[in-house]
Amino acid sequence: MEALIPVVNKLQDVFNTVGADIIQLPQIAVVGTQSSGKSSVLESLVGRDILPRGTGIVTRRPLILQLVHVDPEDRRKTGEENGVDGEEWGKFLHTKNKIYADFDEIRQEIENETERVSGTNKGISDEPIHLKIFSPHVVNLTLVDLPGITKVPVGDQPKDIEIQIRELILKYISNPNCIILAVTAANTDMATSEALKVAREVDPDGRRTLAVVTKLDLMDAGTDAMDVLMGRVIPVKLGLIGVVNRSQLDINNRKLVADAIRDEHAFLQKKYPSLANRNGTKYLAKTLNRLLMHHIRDCLPELKTRINVLAAQYQSLLSSYGEPVEDKSATLLQLITKFAAEYCNTIEGTAKYIETAELCGGARICYIFHETFGRTLESVDPLGGLTTIDVLTAIRNATGPRPALFVPEVSFELLVKRQVKRLEEPSLRCVELVHEEMQRIIQHCSNYSTQELLRFPKLHDAIVEVVTSLLRKRLPITNEMVHNLVAIELAYINTKHPDFADACGLMNNNIEEQRRNRMRELPSAVPRDKAAGGPTQVEQDGGSSSWRGKLKSSEDGTPDDKAKLLQPQPPLPASPQKGHAVNLLDVPVPVARKLSAREQRDCEVIERLIKSYFLIVRKNIQDSVPKAVMHFLVNYVKDSLQSELVGQLYKSGLLDDLLTESEDMAQRRNEAADMLKALQKASQVIAEIRETHLW
């Protein structure tokens, strides 16, 4: 099982080659406050001075440290292959194959790389530094050194440095495959440990948290860490280990780590003899190695599943990017044909990608016809904008200088045409809405149905232009047809329409009933025949072709009207005095007055006839406009789209230009291909683990 850690290191190398962290590999993250001894713990595990030192925040970028144990037998062979004479060396990912045998150079390179990305103002960055240490004195481990937790910005640090560091730490320890190494100094109160506090946020049960207590030799006189080391203060599931770090004086005097470990062992034997074998740097290294191996074993099944899922996703992504074009002529024709088919299928409702968030394509066109357009027509009042005065004025204007004995037909036609004309605007608006939807279908096909077009932005733009131009050409033709539909209704007012004749007959019965009711209300002294009057020539011609024959004329006036004639009339205007001119063309301004029964009846008849005929025309328009739009716009575009695209774009002189890929498409294809290779290689590594029975 010892070989599991090198396997994970190999997986880390695989994903480092593509610069991706999409797989959360098992690792150990070191968390602690500034100057809590994090760096000293790491250097003790490595056995060499490799980390920058100083006051304030020193670790300003995550350092992913891979410790690789090299067997003494293989050390010489491996060293010769890498061109190294010593038994220990290091390699950075960002310097490729450069070998560092001098650990002072490793420390300097960490400082240089940190300043290159994070700057010199003590700011931090979440871009990690990858370092591998090969040595026969280390155990196989993968550690992540994170910036120390701080509270107050110093120097040129950003105001929100505390939040930045906290978010960076949480980014790593939130990984469920990560073991948290919470470092706390022994000379501080464990109950206020910031490292344990932040670890508990993501690991409340402490199942993947290991506590390390540093600086055991710096506790106040008369105190010890026995209760802490026994787990009586802060219990954690993975345990608690105490260590003794080198002091700053030891570091300045270049005290070797090996000497420090010997002094640490002596201190533990003297101060904590019963706990000496369960504390110290060596015990910490063995514990971390054991925990990491078991953790890797537990994580591998999920890791394998994750890798397989990602491999399938990147395979699909790579397929969507397509292969480099070889036969440009065939590719162009294929893309044009596919777009035309998807456009038509979206209208028909048979597209592969069905929109679920909103109506689209043919469904939206249907909604426009039967909901939007239909409701708009139904909301048009047949008598809207028409007042009783307008009707009465039209009747009077249609009679000329002679008083009318019956309601003139000209007034009806004049008024009903005015109302029917109001149906033209919503009809043209219906055409506009359908045109807009067909324009939207272009974008829908580009986004969902033919993603291959995204490879060739110039071809995409050319297709959009051709379809838009075709729709633009059909719009005025369709508008003209809809305009003609309304003009046809205005050209001939068909008063012999069956539905209109039925309405006239019904109104005739109502008027006749009203006449009989008025006759019954007359005084008995008035003869019925005289009150009713003899039939006029129009009434005798009741079977004539005119709708007037269907409406029998009633009395010319009521007794009230006759009484008004007998009343004294207001005096006529006096004759103009000499020297004063009178304008005979002045039209008297209508004043509000009560209409006579005859006027009221005539207006009511005209309004009813207008409403009846308007409803007939509205029904015709509601039926004919969608048919016209479908024929002249929708179906025409569907039938001619393929030939229009081929005729405009399928030309040898345009092939190279239209099939030019976008600048980043080749790069994205290469990145997807590299990631797919890395995932496939990672899958092979895990398969090898199963074959060797390590898992």
Side-chain angles (χ1 to χ4, degrees):
M1 199 165 65
E2 178 72 24
L4 285 176
I5 297 178
V7 167
V8 172
N9 290 342
K10 188 182 293 185
L11 290 176
Q12 184 72 59
D13 294 341
V14 168
F15 292 115
N16 285 343
T17 58
V18 292
D21 55 356
I22 58 173
I23 295 291
Q24 295 179 323
L25 295 173
Q27 56 191 8
I28 300 172
V30 185
V31 180
T33 57
Q34 287 184 17
S35 303
S36 62
K38 292 189 301 85
S39 298
S40 295
V41 171
L42 288 175
E43 288 182 336
S44 297
L45 294 173
V46 176
R48 301 293 294 264
D49 293 332
I50 61 170
L51 300 176
R53 294 282 183 169
T55 58
I57 182 170
V58 178
T59 304
R60 296 188 288 126
R61 287 178 60 184
L63 174 65
I64 298 180
L65 178 63
Q66 291 179 327
L67 303 183
V68 181
H69 177 75
V70 182
D71 292 332
E73 294 80 9
D74 299 333
R75 182 179 60 199
R76 182 176 301 174
K77 179 180 178 181
T78 308
E80 291 175 356
E81 291 177 354
N82 291 278
V84 180
D85 295 332
E87 61 179 9
E88 297 176 304
W89 67 91
K91 290 172 65 175
F92 287 97
L93 176 66
H94 63 272
T95 58
K96 304 303 180 184
N97 296 322
K98 184 177 179 180
I99 304 298
Y100 293 84
D102 186 349
F103 282 81
D104 289 337
E105 290 185 13
I106 292 178
R107 182 170 59 251
Q108 187 61 45
E109 181 60 30
I110 293 175
E111 292 181 0
N112 296 340
E113 182 65 11
T114 298
E115 292 183 357
R116 185 184 67 82
V117 175
S118 304
T120 58
N121 64 343
K122 299 296 183 180
I124 67 168
S125 169
D126 62 351
E127 184 179 340
I129 299 174
H130 293 266
L131 172 62
K132 266 189 176 184
I133 299 294
F134 299 84
S135 171
H137 308 299
V138 300
V139 295
N140 291 314
L141 282 177
T142 299
L143 301 159
V144 182
D145 186 21
L146 296 170
I149 301 172
T150 185
K151 291 292 184 181
V152 180
V154 295
D156 296 333
Q157 286 183 341
K159 301 288 186 181
D160 61 341
I161 187 68
E162 178 187 359
I163 298 175
Q164 290 184 28
I165 294 176
R166 179 182 177 81
E167 290 177 350
L168 177 58
I169 292 174
L170 289 174
K171 174 183 175 182
Y172 278 87
I173 67 175
S174 297
N175 172 12
N177 296 334
C178 175
I179 295 176
I180 305 171
L181 191 65
V183 179
T184 304
N187 56 359
T188 60
D189 188 354
M190 291 291 292
T192 61
S193 170
E194 289 291 335
L196 290 173
K197 179 182 176 182
V198 72
R200 187 164 293 179
E201 291 184 20
V202 296
D203 183 32
D205 298 332
R207 295 184 181 276
R208 51 187 182 91
T209 300
L210 174 66
V212 175
V213 180
T214 62
K215 304 182 182 181
L216 290 175
D217 56 332
L218 298 182
M219 296 187 68
D220 293 338
T223 63
D224 60 33
M226 184 65 70
D227 289 341
V228 173
L229 296 178
M230 293 292 291
R232 297 169 185 164
V233 179
I234 302 294
V236 288
K237 296 289 177 65
L238 296 185
L240 191 149
I241 300 175
V243 297
V244 176
N245 300 331
R246 290 181 299 169
S247 66
Q248 189 61 46
L249 179 61
D250 293 336
I251 296 172
N252 294 339
N253 293 334
R254 292 186 172 274
K255 182 177 182 179
L256 297 179
V257 175
D259 295 338
I261 291 177
R262 282 195 299 269
D263 293 344
E264 176 192 50
H265 180 70
F267 174 83
L268 291 174
Q269 288 289 350
K270 178 182 178 181
K271 188 73 174 177
Y272 306 98
S274 62
L275 302 177
N277 61 338
R278 286 183 289 162
N279 290 277
T281 300
K282 289 186 176 181
Y283 182 77
L284 174 62
K286 293 178 182 179
T287 302
L288 290 175
N289 178 263
R290 175 177 53 83
L291 289 175
L292 187 57
M293 283 191 300
H294 287 283
H295 196 61
I296 291 171
R297 184 191 61 187
D298 296 338
C299 295
L300 277 179
E302 181 183 351
L303 193 62
K304 178 178 180 294
T305 302
R306 173 68 174 161
I307 289 174
N308 291 338
V309 170
L310 284 173
Q313 292 177 352
Y314 272 92
Q315 181 64 62
S316 176
L317 181 63
L318 187 60
S319 299
S320 69
Y321 292 153
E323 298 294 332
V325 178
E326 296 180 359
D327 189 346
K328 294 187 176 182
S329 179
T331 301
L332 178 60
L333 185 59
Q334 178 185 359
L335 291 175
I336 289 175
T337 302
K338 185 172 183 180
F339 179 88
E342 290 294 338
Y343 190 92
C344 296
N345 290 340
T346 303
I347 295 176
E348 294 295 334
T350 58
K352 181 180 178 181
Y353 296 90
I354 300 296
E355 181 66 58
T356 58
E358 61 178 352
L359 292 179
C360 178
R364 190 173 185 86
I365 293 174
C366 178
Y367 182 86
I368 292 171
F369 285 157
H370 302 292
E371 297 293 333
T372 306
F373 180 57
R375 284 201 305 264
T376 302
L377 289 186
E378 291 172 2
S379 67
V380 178
D381 183 5
L383 301 176
L386 198 62
T387 64
T388 304
I389 295 299
D390 295 335
V391 176
L392 189 60
T393 302
I395 294 174
R396 289 179 174 177
N397 286 337
T399 59
R402 296 173 298 280
L405 297 176
F406 50 83
V407 179
E409 184 173 353
V410 176
S411 61
F412 163 73
E413 292 196 5
L414 175 67
L415 293 173
V416 81
K417 286 182 179 180
R418 170 179 166 181
Q419 298 307 101
V420 168
K421 183 69 175 174
R422 298 170 61 213
L423 298 175
E424 183 174 9
E425 182 179 351
S427 300
L428 294 175
R429 177 58 180 161
C430 176
V431 178
E432 183 181 350
L433 290 175
V434 174
H435 177 267
E436 291 175 358
E437 177 56 27
M438 297 192 72
Q439 195 74 34
R440 287 177 69 243
I441 295 176
I442 303 175
Q443 190 64 34
H444 174 82
C445 293
S446 301
N447 291 342
Y448 299 100
S449 303
T450 53
Q451 293 188 3
E452 295 91 338
L453 283 179
L454 300 179
R455 293 178 57 192
F456 311 109
K458 291 186 178 180
L459 175 59
H460 174 267
D461 294 343
I463 289 178
V464 171
E465 178 60 31
V466 171
V467 182
T468 302
S469 177
L470 179 60
L471 290 172
R472 194 184 304 119
K473 287 191 296 185
R474 298 305 301 176
L475 182 60
I477 298 174
T478 309
N479 281 336
E480 182 65 22
M481 182 60 198
V482 171
H483 172 77
N484 287 337
L485 289 176
V486 179
I488 289 170
E489 296 291 346
L490 296 174
Y492 180 63
I493 305 301
N494 183 16
T495 57
K496 292 291 287 183
H497 193 284
D499 294 341
F500 186 67
D502 293 342
C504 290
L506 181 60
M507 280 185 285
N508 178 59
N509 294 336
N510 291 338
I511 294 173
E512 184 65 24
E513 180 65 25
Q514 293 174 5
R515 189 180 70 84
R516 285 196 296 267
N517 291 339
R518 283 197 301 271
M519 290 179 65
R520 283 195 295 268
E521 294 170 359
L522 289 175
S524 58
V526 181
R528 296 281 177 175
D529 55 347
K530 294 194 180 208
T536 65
Q537 182 65 31
V538 175
E539 291 170 333
Q540 292 173 359
D541 296 339
S544 67
S545 62
S546 172
W547 57 271
R548 291 176 310 207
K550 299 182 182 69
L551 297 173
K552 296 181 179 180
S553 179
S554 185
E555 302 88 5
D556 289 340
T558 63
D560 292 339
D561 296 331
K562 296 176 182 178
K564 289 179 182 177
L565 293 174
L566 298 176
Q567 293 178 358
Q569 301 297 319
L572 295 173
S575 300
Q577 299 178 2
K578 188 174 182 180
H580 293 276
V582 176
N583 186 0
L584 297 178
L585 297 180
D586 282 343
V587 179
V589 178
V591 295
R593 65 178 179 83
K594 183 178 180 181
L595 299 180
S596 66
R598 169 70 181 274
E599 292 172 335
Q600 185 70 33
R601 185 177 67 253
D602 290 348
C603 290
E604 184 178 338
V605 168
I606 289 293
E607 288 175 354
R608 289 186 178 183
L609 291 174
I610 291 173
K611 184 174 182 179
S612 175
Y613 196 83
F614 180 87
L615 295 178
I616 294 171
V617 175
R618 185 174 72 183
K619 184 178 179 181
N620 295 341
I621 293 296
Q622 192 170 354
D623 178 66
S624 59
V625 167
K627 292 178 179 178
V629 174
M630 286 298 298
H631 177 73
F632 286 92
L633 182 60
V634 180
N635 289 342
Y636 184 92
V637 171
K638 279 173 49 183
D639 296 340
S640 60
L641 180 59
Q642 170 80 10
S643 59
E644 190 76 14
L645 288 172
V646 171
Q648 295 286 340
L649 303 179
Y650 192 64
K651 300 176 181 179
S652 58
L654 299 176
L655 286 177
D656 293 336
D657 186 50
L658 293 178
L659 294 181
T660 301
E661 285 189 321
S662 58
E663 296 179 358
D664 61 337
M665 182 56 67
Q667 178 183 352
R668 284 189 288 173
R669 186 192 295 111
N670 293 335
E671 291 175 354
D674 292 341
M675 180 59 70
L676 182 60
K677 290 179 182 177
L679 290 168
Q680 291 172 343
K681 188 173 182 180
S683 182
Q684 292 175 358
V685 171
I686 294 179
E688 292 173 1
I689 298 176
R690 297 184 66 93
E691 293 175 0
T692 54
H693 306 288
L694 293 175
W695 173 17

